[in-house]
Amino acid sequence: LYAAMVAFMDKNGALEVPLRTCISAGEALPEEVGLRWETHTGTCILDGVGSTEMLHIFLSNRKDDLVYGTSGVAVPGYALRLVDEEGVDVPSGGVGELLVNGASAANCYWNQREKSRITFEGVWTRTGDKYEMRDDGRLVYCGRTDDMFKVSGIWLSPFEVEGALVSHPRILEAAVVAAEDADGLEKPKAFVVLKDGVADDALLAELKDHVKDKIGKWKYPRWIEVVSDLPKTATGKIQRFKLREEN
């Protein structure tokens, strides 16, 4: 929704609407969208993370402490950890699954004992989200645990590639999933929605070079497919598993 409104204002100018605060949650906010929104409206977007299991937003930016491209820091009353596959805490710069501890946590899932045992570990609740901890304590979203994949033995964040694609002036939305090349190795494949016009080979090559320049040569999408829209849940989360099924 924010991306669509920014694209509209890029063409038609800012809307004369008095705004005090804007909130984003559900799907991580791309840095480019936040920056352009603030340029048009003069109002920041506070990107945060919550979950049904926790009832409440537990990780967020705030007006006096905002860095686009990050999910911010813990909301007062909540404690956060990043752990690896063995449950060991991940140091700054590493990527791990986000665990949260707070009084608003659910007790269990109704009639789903096995899922409850996996998700609720004592005072800690597993979110299923992968994050990177920066040196300043801010958390950077990398993707859902089942959306992450390795390229040349290194974990790739689909969200990082998506953010690079969205920073291109022709792209409205993007989603990245793993696809196998001719050798059976996983490489990133992108699905993109254009703001206008149609794609040609020149644009697709330009997008690949754009990603290489923004985040690194090995992270660029080997394939790019232009679509009219992306599959989403009722709350706006991109359903990447549906895109994986199409490969």
Side-chain angles (χ1 to χ4, degrees), residues 81-85 87-97 130-133:
R81 295 170 59 201
L82 294 184
V83 300
D84 61 19
E85 288 80 2
V88 178
D89 287 357
V90 174
S92 295
V95 175
E97 182 180 355
K130 292 276 192 180
Y131 271 88
E132 176 187 349
M133 175 76 76

Side-chain angles (χ1 to χ4, degrees), residues 1-12:
L1 180 59
Y2 281 118
M5 288 191 286
V6 164
F8 177 86
M9 290 187 286
D10 284 344
K11 280 188 173 183
N12 302 283

